[in-house]
Structures are given as C-alpha cells and as structure tokens.
C-alpha cells in the first residue's frame, strides 16, 4: 500500500477515533444530554481533509499530474482506512465500555418523539435494538455513518484536484 495513503489514513483515523472516544465518554457521564450530530459530522469532515492532503501529495509525487481515477482511488483508500478504524474503535467502545448503548439510544429517541409518533418510534427502536445485538449489523450501521460521506468527499476532491 502506498505510504501516502497509509500515512494520511492513519492521521485521519486518529482524529475520528479521538472524537468517538470523547463523545462516548461525554454520553456516559451525561446520559440525559444528547450530543449534537453536527459535532460528529464536523469531526468526520476534519478527518477527511486528509483525503484532500493525500490526493494532493500523490499528485505532487507524479510531477503535478493525477488522473481522476487515480485521485479517486487514493481518496477512497484513505477513506476506507479512516472508516475501518472508526468501526474498530466503536466495536471496542461498544463491547467493553458502553454495552448498553442500544438501550441508551433507544430511550433518547423515544423521549424525543412527539406523542403522536411514540408508538411508531418505539417499534422502530425495538427493531434497532434487536438488530444491534448482531455484530454484523453493528459493523454495517457503523460503516454507514462514515463511509458514504468519505466516498463523496473522495469524489469531490478527485474532481477538484485532478490534473492531466
């Protein structure tokens, strides 16, 4: 694997991992408070700036030229490393430090629901809790939090930074 991809993937991973650990510690110590999704989203975007940096470094190594395909693949591999570390860190947190996350999340979602939606939200959350008992679903749900954003970031970065 290319050194540029690995280095930028690990640097981005450190950002999302630190953010995930911080948010989890906050949620555990303040169970009544909900963490804004914008905090997590901002942390992911910050980590994905290493996609831009990696594509730019790859272009510089190629004497200032990089095709869209090569730029996208560079960004995609960096994204995949960042996303995989995000998933692995979440699995460690979930199974070792926050095993009641599904119940916590379900309770918060039901409490936020309007009186008209409580029955529907309760049914959805019970389904979520049941699926979250399976580690495969946990992995898939966690990848779906971060990977699509990273792929879009890789596409946009490749379009902007390509030079033939």
């Amino acid at each position: 694997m290319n050194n540029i991809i690995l280095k930028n993937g690990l640097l981005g991973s450190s950002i999302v991992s630190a953010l995930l650990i911080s948010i989890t510690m906050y949620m555990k110590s303040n169970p009544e408070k909900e963490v804004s999704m914008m905090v997590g989203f901002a942390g992911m975007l910050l980590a994905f700036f290493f996609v831009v940096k990696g594509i730019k470094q790859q272009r510089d190594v190629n004497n200032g030229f990089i095709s869209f395909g090569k730029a996208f693949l560079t960004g995609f591999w960096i994204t995949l490393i960042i996303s995989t570390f995000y998933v692995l860190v979440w699995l460690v947190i979930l199974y070792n430090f926050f095993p009641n996350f599904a119940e916590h999340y379900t309770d918060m979602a039901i409490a936020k629901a309007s009186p008209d939606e409580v029955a529907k939200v309760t049914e959805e959350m019970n389904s979520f809790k049941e699926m979250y008992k399976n580690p495969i679903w946990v992995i898939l749900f966690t990848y779906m939090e971060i990977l699509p954003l990273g792929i879009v970031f890789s596409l946009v970065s490749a379009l902007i930074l390509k030079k033939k």
Side-chain angles (χ1 to χ4, degrees):
M1 180 175 291
N2 187 324
N3 190 33
I4 292 170
I5 292 171
L6 189 58
K7 181 179 70 170
N8 285 291
L10 292 175
L11 288 170
S13 297
S14 66
I15 291 172
V16 292
S17 297
L19 180 74
L20 190 55
I21 291 166
S22 300
I23 288 173
T24 303
M25 289 172 49
Y26 179 82
M27 285 175 65
K28 279 197 69 139
S29 61
N30 300 293
E32 70 287 347
K33 294 185 180 174
E34 184 176 359
V35 178
S36 171
M37 287 177 45
M38 294 308 291
V39 173
F41 185 71
M44 289 177 194
L45 285 177
L46 185 62
F48 287 135
F49 277 111
F50 285 99
V51 168
V52 175
K53 185 178 177 202
I55 293 172
K56 191 166 179 333
Q57 288 173 345
Q58 193 71 43
R59 185 178 72 185
D60 293 344
V61 166
N62 294 330
N63 298 318
F65 298 101
I66 192 166
S67 68
F68 170 78
K70 178 72 173 173
F72 173 72
L73 283 176
T74 299
F76 175 77
W77 286 115
I78 294 169
T79 293
L80 194 59
I81 291 169
I82 292 169
S83 300
T84 300
F85 269 87
Y86 181 82
V87 170
L88 292 173
V89 168
W90 176 244
L91 290 173
V92 169
I93 290 170
L94 177 67
Y95 291 115
N96 294 298
F97 303 104
F98 204 178
N100 65 335
F101 168 77
E103 290 81 19
H104 177 81
Y105 181 75
T106 299
D107 293 344
M108 287 178 62
I110 293 169
K112 271 180 40 178
S114 68
D116 300 340
E117 297 177 325
V118 168
K120 180 183 173 207
V121 171
T122 301
E123 182 181 326
E124 290 171 356
M125 288 294 105
N126 286 336
S127 175
F128 168 79
K129 265 198 307 197
E130 199 57 40
M131 287 193 312
Y132 223 69
K133 290 177 183 176
N134 183 337
I136 300 298
W137 280 112
V138 173
I139 291 167
L140 291 174
F141 280 138
T142 310
Y143 265 117
M144 288 307 295
E145 288 175 19
I146 190 167
L147 191 58
L149 177 63
I151 291 172
V152 169
F153 212 86
S154 296
L155 277 169
V156 171
S157 300
L159 280 170
I160 293 170
L161 295 171
K162 70 178 168 100
K163 270 194 178 172
K164 285 195 170 194

